[in-house]
Amino acid sequence: MVVRRGLSLLLLACLTLIAGCGGSDSAGLVKGEATPGFELQRLDRGMARFPGDFAGQVVVIRFWADWCPFCESEMKAIEPVYRKYREKGLRILALNVRQDRRTATAFIDKLGISYDTLLDEEGAVARAYGVIGLPTTFILDRKGRLATRILGESSAELFEQLVRDQL
């Protein structure tokens, strides 16, 4: 009886955690519709306000953390794509999820990336976007509507093709 009750409590706790991570919210983001707005601290300076600061641009929102096994290689791989298309209106917002400024800065300094890094220290934006694993990437068209979502790691070639489709 005690074992059964313990298993029931464990199952209930797991379901609660899944719901708390925003698993059901991901269904709310529909291709072709506007994505949630947010205001976050930039790693290097000031605040970033989405969508206001990025109107008329193709915006990529990437959720990452330094412990993510694929985030480092992917973030380095998309840097050349960013440099190639930034003059055509591409903006990449790399949102660090639930880590402090010092941790995020050490990771970004090591990578030498030039696109914007924002701090989602409480994970509120990640929850609003229904992120349940890292990395997760959202590519938005020039009107701020969801064009596509990449769950997990992607190649630089695929990333570039998806970005080019929006430019």
Side-chain angles (χ1 to χ4, degrees):
M1 181 73 172
V2 172
V3 172
R4 225 180 235 170
R5 184 175 179 166
L7 289 174
S8 296
L9 289 174
L10 180 61
L11 178 60
L12 179 61
C14 288
L15 290 173
T16 302
L17 283 173
I18 290 168
C21 290
S24 62
D25 290 343
S26 64
L29 295 181
V30 177
K31 185 175 180 176
E33 292 187 358
T35 56
F38 56 84
E39 183 175 325
L40 290 174
Q41 187 73 36
R42 283 188 160 100
L43 191 59
D44 58 354
R45 68 201 184 296
M47 299 296 287
R49 292 164 189 85
F50 174 81
D53 293 347
F54 307 98
Q57 300 177 59
V58 172
V59 177
V60 174
I61 301 175
R62 294 202 72 254
F63 292 91
W64 67 277
D66 75 332
W67 51 261
C68 164
F70 304 110
C71 291
E72 181 174 350
S73 60
E74 189 177 42
M75 288 175 80
K76 287 194 303 193
I78 67 174
E79 173 69 19
V81 177
Y82 172 67
R83 289 178 187 246
K84 183 175 180 179
Y85 294 106
R86 67 181 167 197
E87 296 300 320
K88 294 183 180 182
L90 174 64
R91 292 298 298 267
I92 298 176
L93 306 177
L95 276 63
N96 177 267
V97 180
R98 299 186 59 110
Q99 294 185 296
D100 61 42
R101 179 179 296 278
R102 181 184 304 184
T103 302
T105 298
F107 188 78
I108 293 301
D109 286 350
K110 178 175 70 169
L111 297 181
I113 61 171
S114 61
Y115 47 85
D116 287 323
T117 302
L118 311 178
L119 298 170
D120 185 16
E121 290 181 284
E122 301 301 318
V125 178
R127 283 190 301 279
Y129 277 72
V131 174
I132 57 172
L134 300 175
T136 298
T137 304
F138 296 84
I139 299 176
L140 314 179
D141 67 16
R142 291 185 185 272
K143 293 182 180 178
R145 298 175 304 204
L146 179 62
T148 192
R149 171 185 3 220
I150 304 169
L151 304 174
E153 184 178 22
S154 73
S155 68
E157 295 80 17
L158 173 62
F159 179 78
E160 183 172 3
Q161 179 59 52
L162 294 170
V163 164
R164 263 197 330 254
D165 290 347
Q166 299 307 313
L167 290 171

